[in-house]
Amino acid sequence: LQCEMPLRSALLILLLGCLLNQHVLSTALDDFVNSPDPNYAYSLHSVIEGDFPYTAYNLELISTSWLTANDSSRPIWKHWLVVCVPDEVKTNYGFLYINDGTNPQVDNNEPDGTLDPLQEILCLSSGTVVSELHQIPNEPITYPADPTHKSRTEDAMIAFTWKHFLDDPSEPNWLARFPMTKASVRAMDAIQDFIGNFPNVPNVEKFVVAGASKRGWTTWTTGAVDNKRVVAIVPIVMPIGHMQPNLMHQFEAYDGWSFALDDYLAENVTTFLNKPEFLLMGDQIDPMTYNDRYENMPIYAVASCGDEFFLPDSANFFWNDLKGEKHLRMVPDAEHSLTGHQIDVTLAIETFYHTIIHDLPRPVVTWTNWTSADGLVCNITLTVSGKLRPSHVKMWHARNEHKRDFRLVVCDQLNNPNCLNPIFWLKDEVEGIPLSDGSVAYSAIMHKPAQGWSAFFLEADFYYDDILPPLKLGNFKVSTDVQVVPMEMPYPPCTDNC
């Protein structure tokens, strides 16, 4: 305009700039999820009735088409979608739990007629529609272009699609995260349409979404692409943000890769770690690509201290950058499946869900980490402000005298005792110090051990029984991130030998 540009040309350039900006903010994942698919459909298959105050419905859902029959043995994705409707639905919130399962359940067999414990607990206590989506991802799958011709499940199925994208980034729809995310979004469509047929039941307008492992990653992306309906998320054992440096951290700790990544190593995926193609893949599926979309979406992220896929400090790569309200929960003495901790984690998720649907205050917890210049001493200070106060705060700590490895399992040979890595987390109570602004600070310090590495974090327990006593909610645990001393990594990052 200062150059006396004609007004029409100026407006056209301004409009083009807006369109380009909108395109930048939209990814191929958005486009895939939002594209209409004539295959989408659902039907009522059966009803689960019994002597309990709810009725559950087994829906057969066709969520999406993905690739073609020339590319995949599963070009049409089908699922069991179990919808639990309490006898008295009190609100328009709903919970969606994304789960796994093999396709023969859909193609050949009847659903098992039972509810997942988390689904049943929430359906009974919340007075909301609680649903569980199965077959994420659809598996097993074979790929005609696969030279091994093997039937692939879980990581093997996903790894093949990663390799396809890394070889040809012009075909992002090949990434398995795309149909996994779209199926979860279509499940919400089906739930809303199905519940709309109940005259005395308020329809589900707001969803809290949860899932574990591959489904935890899908929880991140489902919240990102549908942040109008999804009002909170619970990604479990999937601290994958900023995935490239996050994964590199594993190489620097182990001088190689965990056995849990064998399916990705078989496809030579890690050889791309330092190449532009890997960053392009992250532009589509890394949760931090969609960070702005989590700004108004409370997050309760649950991670395992002994995970074979991730390190206990994996969340450190993105947690400070993550926008919006966020609560981290590190689970000690647990591997990737959280075996032995399912009830405790389930009760904490139940409490978090109730804080969302009842608009209850949630803990206001922040922390700071201080490390000495030589990296041999670390201090964590957790500060609790707001109205809620923890019943107690613990410092959890563990040590490995031999290497920087806190996995509970280091290989997948069930009969091999050398696969066990007996790392035990100990706990100490931490006393709070009142601050002048009314908050309370809790501090813990860790020195470099005489040999090996030590890891530690702080955990605060909050109880809601006094706020909603009839519900007898369990405790809600939040924690700081995990710090490992000494801070220096034992091995250098990989360059061309990843």
Side-chain angles (χ1 to χ4, degrees), residues 279-351:
L279 296 178
L280 288 173
M281 187 170 70
D283 288 343
Q284 301 298 332
I285 63 175
D286 190 329
M288 295 306 289
T289 296
Y290 306 94
N291 195 11
D292 289 343
R293 305 185 191 184
Y294 303 128
E295 196 160 7
N296 299 309
M297 185 183 300
I299 297 171
Y300 186 38
V302 180
S304 162
C305 290
D307 201 313
E308 55 269 30
F309 284 89
F310 298 97
L311 277 68
D313 51 346
S314 287
N316 302 14
F317 281 87
F318 66 93
W319 195 258
N320 286 340
D321 294 335
L322 187 62
K323 295 184 178 181
E325 180 188 336
K326 52 193 178 184
H327 308 272
L328 179 63
R329 166 77 185 281
M330 298 302 306
V331 183
D333 298 321
E335 38 72 68
H336 188 68
S337 69
L338 297 177
T339 298
H341 301 269
Q342 293 95 329
I343 294 176
D344 184 48
V345 171
T346 294
L347 294 177
I349 295 173
E350 179 192 23
T351 300

Side-chain angles (χ1 to χ4, degrees), residues 8-143:
R8 175 181 172 84
S9 298
L11 291 175
L12 286 173
I13 290 176
L14 179 62
L15 177 60
L16 178 61
C18 292
L19 291 174
L20 288 172
N21 186 53
Q22 184 179 11
H23 177 73
V24 169
L25 295 178
S26 179
T27 67
L29 175 61
D30 293 307
D31 296 339
F32 180 83
V33 169
N34 294 323
S35 62
D37 191 331
N39 295 287
Y40 163 74
Y42 76 89
S43 59
L44 176 62
H45 177 275
S46 56
V47 179
I48 303 173
E49 295 180 300
D51 189 20
F52 25 73
Y54 64 76
T55 304
Y57 303 86
N58 288 312
L59 306 184
E60 185 172 3
L61 171 68
I62 299 175
S63 64
T64 185
S65 58
W66 180 55
L67 307 178
T68 70
N70 293 326
D71 304 314
S72 162
S73 63
R74 294 286 175 190
I76 303 295
W77 278 32
K78 295 193 288 184
H79 319 261
W80 289 125
L81 175 60
V82 185
V83 181
C84 184
V85 183
D87 290 350
E88 182 182 359
V89 179
K90 303 174 182 178
T91 177
N92 63 351
Y93 283 87
F95 193 96
L96 174 64
Y97 185 62
I98 307 170
N99 212 336
D100 56 4
T102 55
N103 260 97
Q105 289 179 279
V106 170
D107 293 341
N108 303 317
N109 301 329
E110 298 295 309
D112 60 15
T114 62
L115 301 185
D116 180 89
L118 174 61
Q119 181 183 19
E120 186 163 35
I121 288 172
L122 293 181
C123 192
L124 287 170
S125 73
S126 68
T128 68
V129 175
V130 180
S131 306
E132 182 178 12
L133 174 64
H134 293 271
Q135 288 84 36
I136 301 295
N138 265 217
E139 57 183 26
I141 284 180
T142 57
Y143 299 103

Side-chain angles (χ1 to χ4, degrees), residues 239-253 286 288 291 310-322 326 328 367 369 404 481-484 487 489:
I240 191 59
H242 290 322
M243 56 187 291
Q244 192 274 348
N246 202 332
L247 290 173
M248 180 67 78
H249 188 57
Q250 182 181 122
F251 191 96
E252 296 177 58
D286 190 329
M288 295 306 289
N291 195 11
F310 298 97
L311 277 68
D313 51 346
S314 287
N316 302 14
F317 281 87
F318 66 93
W319 195 258
N320 286 340
D321 294 335
L322 187 62
K326 52 193 178 184
L328 179 63
W367 64 86
N369 303 324
R404 196 187 192 279
D481 56 17
V482 176
Q483 295 296 315
V484 181
M487 304 298 290
M489 299 301 292

